[in-house]
Amino acid sequence: MEEKRKTNRFAEHSSPYSHINSLDDGCLMHIFSFLSPIPDRYNTALVCHRWHFLACHPRLWLRVDRSVNDLSEAGVYPNIETAVFAARPGDTILIAAGGTHLASNIQIKKPLCLIGGGELPDDTTLVCSRGSDSALEFLSTCKVANLTVKAELGCCLLHRSGRLIIDGCLLQCESDPLDYLSYAIVSKANDPGVFPPLVKGRGDGVSVSRTRIEGGVKAVSTSGTLAVQQVRVIYARTSVFFWFDVEHR
Protein backbone atom coordinates (compact mmCIF):
# COMPACT_ATOMS: atom_id res chain seq x y z
CA MET A 1 0.00 0.00 0.00
CA GLU A 2 2.81 2.40 0.88
CA GLU A 3 4.54 1.59 -2.43
CA LYS A 4 1.31 2.36 -4.32
CA ARG A 5 0.98 5.75 -2.59
CA LYS A 6 4.56 6.60 -3.56
CA THR A 7 3.83 5.65 -7.17
CA ASN A 8 0.70 7.79 -7.21
CA ARG A 9 2.56 10.78 -5.74
CA PHE A 10 5.29 10.38 -8.37
CA ALA A 11 2.67 10.23 -11.14
CA GLU A 12 0.96 13.37 -9.84
CA HIS A 13 4.21 15.34 -9.83
CA SER A 14 5.52 14.05 -13.14
CA SER A 15 2.35 14.00 -15.24
CA PRO A 16 2.45 17.69 -16.25
CA TYR A 17 5.84 17.06 -17.84
CA SER A 18 5.14 13.64 -19.38
CA HIS A 19 1.94 14.28 -21.33
CA ILE A 20 3.62 15.20 -24.61
CA ASN A 21 6.00 12.23 -24.46
CA SER A 22 3.05 9.90 -23.92
CA LEU A 23 1.92 10.67 -27.47
CA ASP A 24 2.87 8.20 -30.18
CA ASP A 25 5.47 9.04 -32.82
CA GLY A 26 2.89 9.92 -35.46
CA CYS A 27 1.20 12.52 -33.24
CA LEU A 28 4.49 14.10 -32.18
CA MET A 29 5.70 14.30 -35.76
CA HIS A 30 2.44 15.95 -36.78
CA ILE A 31 2.94 18.58 -34.03
CA PHE A 32 6.52 19.19 -35.14
CA SER A 33 5.31 19.77 -38.71
CA PHE A 34 3.64 23.01 -37.57
CA LEU A 35 6.92 24.45 -36.26
CA SER A 36 9.03 26.71 -38.43
CA PRO A 37 12.01 24.65 -39.69
CA ILE A 38 14.55 27.20 -38.39
CA PRO A 39 14.97 27.66 -35.47
CA ASP A 40 12.01 25.92 -33.78
CA ARG A 41 12.01 22.49 -35.42
CA TYR A 42 15.79 22.48 -35.43
CA ASN A 43 15.84 23.15 -31.68
CA THR A 44 13.39 20.34 -30.93
CA ALA A 45 15.98 17.91 -32.28
CA LEU A 46 18.25 18.86 -29.38
CA VAL A 47 15.82 17.80 -26.63
CA CYS A 48 16.37 14.03 -26.62
CA HIS A 49 17.14 11.07 -28.89
CA ARG A 50 13.48 10.42 -29.68
CA TRP A 51 12.75 14.03 -30.57
CA HIS A 52 15.92 14.16 -32.68
CA PHE A 53 14.74 11.14 -34.65
CA LEU A 54 11.27 12.60 -35.21
CA ALA A 55 12.36 16.21 -35.88
CA CYS A 56 14.89 15.03 -38.50
CA HIS A 57 12.54 12.52 -40.11
CA PRO A 58 12.40 12.77 -43.93
CA ARG A 59 8.64 13.26 -43.67
CA LEU A 60 9.36 16.71 -42.21
CA TRP A 61 12.36 17.74 -44.30
CA LEU A 62 15.15 16.49 -46.51
CA ARG A 63 18.80 17.20 -45.75
CA VAL A 64 21.72 18.00 -48.03
CA ASP A 65 25.05 17.05 -46.49
CA ARG A 66 28.19 16.74 -48.60
CA SER A 67 29.94 14.77 -45.86
CA VAL A 68 27.36 12.00 -45.72
CA ASN A 69 28.93 8.56 -46.14
CA ASP A 70 25.87 6.36 -45.95
CA LEU A 71 23.85 7.18 -49.08
CA SER A 72 21.18 4.71 -47.97
CA GLU A 73 20.14 6.94 -45.04
CA ALA A 74 16.59 8.09 -45.70
CA GLY A 75 16.10 11.76 -46.46
CA VAL A 76 19.81 12.65 -46.69
CA TYR A 77 21.40 13.61 -50.02
CA PRO A 78 24.94 14.52 -51.09
CA ASN A 79 23.92 17.51 -53.23
CA ILE A 80 21.07 19.94 -53.82
CA GLU A 81 20.09 18.62 -57.25
CA THR A 82 19.35 15.09 -56.04
CA ALA A 83 17.43 16.44 -53.03
CA VAL A 84 15.27 18.65 -55.27
CA PHE A 85 14.59 15.69 -57.58
CA ALA A 86 13.55 13.47 -54.65
CA ALA A 87 11.47 16.10 -52.84
CA ARG A 88 7.69 16.13 -52.89
CA PRO A 89 5.68 19.35 -53.37
CA GLY A 90 5.70 21.29 -50.11
CA ASP A 91 8.87 19.69 -48.72
CA THR A 92 11.59 21.60 -46.86
CA ILE A 93 15.23 21.00 -47.79
CA LEU A 94 17.78 21.80 -45.09
CA ILE A 95 21.23 22.46 -46.58
CA ALA A 96 24.05 21.68 -44.16
CA ALA A 97 26.33 24.50 -43.03
CA GLY A 98 30.05 24.48 -43.71
CA GLY A 99 31.92 24.45 -47.01
CA THR A 100 30.29 25.21 -50.35
CA HIS A 101 27.56 23.50 -52.34
CA LEU A 102 27.63 23.54 -56.14
CA ALA A 103 24.40 24.88 -57.63
CA SER A 104 24.30 25.52 -61.37
CA ASN A 105 21.07 25.79 -63.40
CA ILE A 106 19.07 23.70 -60.92
CA GLN A 107 15.42 23.90 -61.99
CA ILE A 108 12.79 23.76 -59.25
CA LYS A 109 9.36 22.95 -60.69
CA LYS A 110 7.45 22.21 -57.48
CA PRO A 111 6.72 24.19 -54.31
CA LEU A 112 9.74 23.81 -52.03
CA CYS A 113 11.50 25.61 -49.18
CA LEU A 114 15.32 25.71 -49.20
CA ILE A 115 16.91 26.71 -45.89
CA GLY A 116 20.54 27.04 -44.80
CA GLY A 117 21.41 25.02 -41.72
CA GLY A 118 23.80 27.53 -40.14
CA GLU A 119 23.18 30.33 -37.67
CA LEU A 120 23.91 32.93 -40.37
CA PRO A 121 23.51 32.90 -44.17
CA ASP A 122 27.31 33.08 -44.46
CA ASP A 123 27.51 29.58 -42.94
CA THR A 124 25.85 27.90 -45.93
CA THR A 125 27.12 28.89 -49.39
CA LEU A 126 25.83 27.91 -52.81
CA VAL A 127 28.25 28.59 -55.69
CA CYS A 128 27.14 28.96 -59.29
CA SER A 129 29.96 28.10 -61.69
CA ARG A 130 31.06 30.43 -64.49
CA GLY A 131 29.05 29.93 -67.66
CA SER A 132 25.80 28.96 -65.92
CA ASP A 133 22.70 31.13 -66.27
CA SER A 134 21.85 30.92 -62.56
CA ALA A 135 22.37 28.92 -59.40
CA LEU A 136 18.67 28.15 -58.91
CA GLU A 137 15.83 28.53 -61.40
CA PHE A 138 12.29 28.70 -60.01
CA LEU A 139 9.20 27.62 -61.95
CA SER A 140 6.92 27.26 -58.93
CA THR A 141 6.14 28.96 -55.64
CA CYS A 142 9.20 28.57 -53.40
CA LYS A 143 11.04 30.06 -50.44
CA VAL A 144 14.79 30.52 -49.98
CA ALA A 145 16.10 31.47 -46.53
CA ASN A 146 19.34 31.80 -44.58
CA LEU A 147 21.58 31.07 -47.60
CA THR A 148 24.52 32.71 -49.36
CA VAL A 149 24.37 32.39 -53.14
CA LYS A 150 27.40 33.38 -55.24
CA ALA A 151 27.34 33.80 -59.02
CA GLU A 152 30.40 34.55 -61.13
CA LEU A 153 28.32 35.45 -64.19
CA GLY A 154 24.62 35.42 -64.91
CA CYS A 155 22.44 35.69 -61.82
CA CYS A 156 22.10 34.14 -58.39
CA LEU A 157 18.37 33.38 -58.60
CA LEU A 158 16.28 33.14 -61.78
CA HIS A 159 12.52 33.46 -61.31
CA ARG A 160 10.31 32.08 -64.11
CA SER A 161 6.89 31.68 -62.48
CA GLY A 162 5.13 31.32 -59.15
CA ARG A 163 5.79 33.25 -55.97
CA LEU A 164 9.42 33.42 -54.84
CA ILE A 165 10.19 34.48 -51.25
CA ILE A 166 13.79 35.38 -50.39
CA ASP A 167 14.35 35.90 -46.67
CA GLY A 168 17.55 36.58 -44.75
CA CYS A 169 19.93 35.68 -47.58
CA LEU A 170 23.20 37.02 -49.00
CA LEU A 171 23.36 37.30 -52.80
CA GLN A 172 26.83 37.96 -54.21
CA CYS A 173 27.56 38.71 -57.86
CA GLU A 174 30.76 39.13 -59.85
CA SER A 175 32.52 42.37 -59.05
CA ASP A 176 34.48 44.48 -61.54
CA PRO A 177 35.21 44.14 -64.40
CA LEU A 178 32.31 41.80 -65.31
CA ASP A 179 29.63 43.08 -62.96
CA TYR A 180 27.62 44.41 -65.92
CA LEU A 181 26.82 40.77 -66.82
CA SER A 182 25.61 39.89 -63.33
CA TYR A 183 22.33 40.34 -61.49
CA ALA A 184 21.39 39.10 -58.04
CA ILE A 185 17.81 38.32 -59.10
CA VAL A 186 16.29 38.03 -62.57
CA SER A 187 12.51 37.73 -62.88
CA LYS A 188 11.09 36.65 -66.24
CA ALA A 189 7.70 35.50 -65.02
CA ASN A 190 6.01 37.74 -67.58
CA ASP A 191 8.26 36.90 -70.51
CA PRO A 192 6.88 33.66 -72.08
CA GLY A 193 8.79 34.26 -75.29
CA VAL A 194 12.05 33.44 -73.58
CA PHE A 195 10.89 30.41 -71.57
CA PRO A 196 7.17 29.58 -71.25
CA PRO A 197 6.23 29.30 -67.56
CA LEU A 198 4.51 26.16 -66.28
CA VAL A 199 1.77 28.19 -64.62
CA LYS A 200 0.57 31.65 -65.54
CA GLY A 201 -1.11 33.77 -62.95
CA ARG A 202 -1.34 37.08 -61.23
CA GLY A 203 0.37 35.56 -58.22
CA ASP A 204 3.73 35.55 -59.98
CA GLY A 205 6.22 37.77 -58.18
CA VAL A 206 9.18 38.03 -55.85
CA SER A 207 9.31 39.16 -52.21
CA VAL A 208 12.70 40.03 -50.70
CA SER A 209 13.30 40.74 -47.01
CA ARG A 210 16.36 41.13 -44.73
CA THR A 211 18.63 40.27 -47.66
CA ARG A 212 22.13 41.56 -48.44
CA ILE A 213 22.99 42.11 -52.10
CA GLU A 214 26.59 42.64 -53.19
CA GLY A 215 28.05 43.27 -56.66
CA GLY A 216 26.30 43.05 -60.01
CA VAL A 217 24.94 45.80 -62.19
CA LYS A 218 21.53 45.73 -60.45
CA ALA A 219 19.89 44.04 -57.51
CA VAL A 220 17.04 42.80 -59.72
CA SER A 221 16.16 42.70 -63.40
CA THR A 222 12.50 42.38 -64.47
CA SER A 223 10.58 41.96 -67.72
CA GLY A 224 7.06 42.62 -69.03
CA THR A 225 4.68 44.20 -66.55
CA LEU A 226 6.75 43.25 -63.52
CA ALA A 227 8.27 46.14 -61.59
CA VAL A 228 10.13 46.67 -58.31
CA GLN A 229 7.87 48.16 -55.62
CA GLN A 230 7.90 49.05 -51.91
CA VAL A 231 11.67 49.32 -51.72
CA ARG A 232 13.26 49.73 -48.29
CA VAL A 233 16.98 49.81 -47.59
CA ILE A 234 18.84 49.81 -44.28
CA TYR A 235 22.52 50.72 -44.25
CA ALA A 236 24.55 48.96 -41.55
CA ARG A 237 28.24 49.37 -40.79
CA THR A 238 29.34 46.50 -42.99
CA SER A 239 26.30 45.64 -45.09
CA VAL A 240 23.23 46.95 -46.88
CA PHE A 241 19.95 45.13 -46.25
CA PHE A 242 17.10 45.19 -48.80
CA TRP A 243 13.36 44.77 -48.62
CA PHE A 244 11.34 44.97 -51.85
CA ASP A 245 8.61 43.28 -53.90
CA VAL A 246 8.46 42.50 -57.59
CA GLU A 247 4.83 42.75 -58.64
CA HIS A 248 2.67 43.33 -61.70
CA ARG A 249 2.07 47.02 -62.35
Side-chain angles (χ1 to χ4, degrees):
M1 183 63 70
E2 181 65 24
E3 183 65 26
K4 184 176 181 180
R5 282 199 296 267
K6 288 182 179 179
T7 303
N8 289 339
R9 284 198 300 269
F10 177 78
E12 290 174 2
H13 289 296
S14 62
S15 60
Y17 306 99
S18 61
H19 281 330
I20 190 166
N21 280 322
S22 67
L23 299 174
D24 61 35
D25 288 352
C27 288
L28 266 181
M29 196 179 301
H30 183 66
I31 293 172
F32 292 166
S33 69
F34 291 99
L35 300 176
S36 59
I38 300 292
D40 297 332
R41 199 187 304 161
Y42 182 85
N43 288 337
T44 61
L46 306 177
V47 173
C48 62
H49 289 293
R50 183 191 180 203
W51 283 33
H52 180 273
F53 171 78
L54 297 176
C56 296
H57 196 280
R59 274 178 54 188
L60 296 183
W61 53 15
L62 309 181
R63 290 185 292 140
V64 174
D65 191 344
R66 295 181 303 105
S67 64
V68 63
N69 294 320
D70 184 8
L71 297 179
S72 64
E73 184 177 350
V76 183
Y77 300 89
N79 56 65
I80 298 171
E81 193 166 12
T82 55
V84 168
F85 179 79
R88 299 165 298 178
D91 275 350
T92 296
I93 299 177
L94 180 69
I95 304 173
T100 59
H101 301 266
L102 181 63
S104 296
N105 296 330
I106 297 178
Q107 288 190 345
I108 302 178
K109 301 180 180 180
K110 46 196 165 186
L112 295 176
C113 179
L114 280 69
I115 298 180
E119 294 184 9
L120 300 171
D122 310 68
D123 297 334
T124 311
T125 302
L126 279 55
V127 176
C128 176
S129 60
R130 185 180 293 268
S132 301
D133 292 333
S134 65
L136 303 173
E137 182 176 346
F138 298 92
L139 294 94
S140 184
T141 295
C142 294
K143 179 177 181 179
V144 180
N146 200 39
L147 288 171
T148 292
V149 184
K150 295 183 178 181
E152 294 185 357
L153 292 175
C155 63
C156 297
L157 305 176
L158 177 56
H159 170 241
R160 297 287 191 184
S161 62
R163 188 82 198 173
L164 175 59
I165 299 174
I166 305 167
D167 180 40
C169 291
L170 169 58
L171 307 180
Q172 294 180 324
C173 296
E174 178 76 32
S175 57
D176 292 335
L178 297 175
D179 61 351
Y180 68 94
L181 297 175
S182 302
Y183 296 88
I185 305 165
V186 173
S187 181
K188 295 186 177 181
N190 217 32
D191 192 3
V194 177
F195 194 98
L198 297 181
V199 180
K200 294 182 180 180
R202 295 181 180 178
D204 295 339
V206 180
S207 294
V208 176
S209 61
R210 300 185 304 118
T211 293
R212 291 179 284 163
I213 297 177
E214 300 175 357
V217 62
K218 292 181 180 179
V220 58
S221 173
T222 64
S223 62
T225 60
L226 290 170
V228 180
Q229 303 177 28
Q230 300 180 11
V231 178
R232 184 160 62 99
V233 180
I234 293 181
Y235 291 87
R237 287 185 176 181
T238 58
S239 304
V240 181
F241 292 86
F242 289 86
W243 285 256
F244 59 82
D245 295 322
V246 176
E247 305 281 0
H248 292 274
R249 286 177 289 200

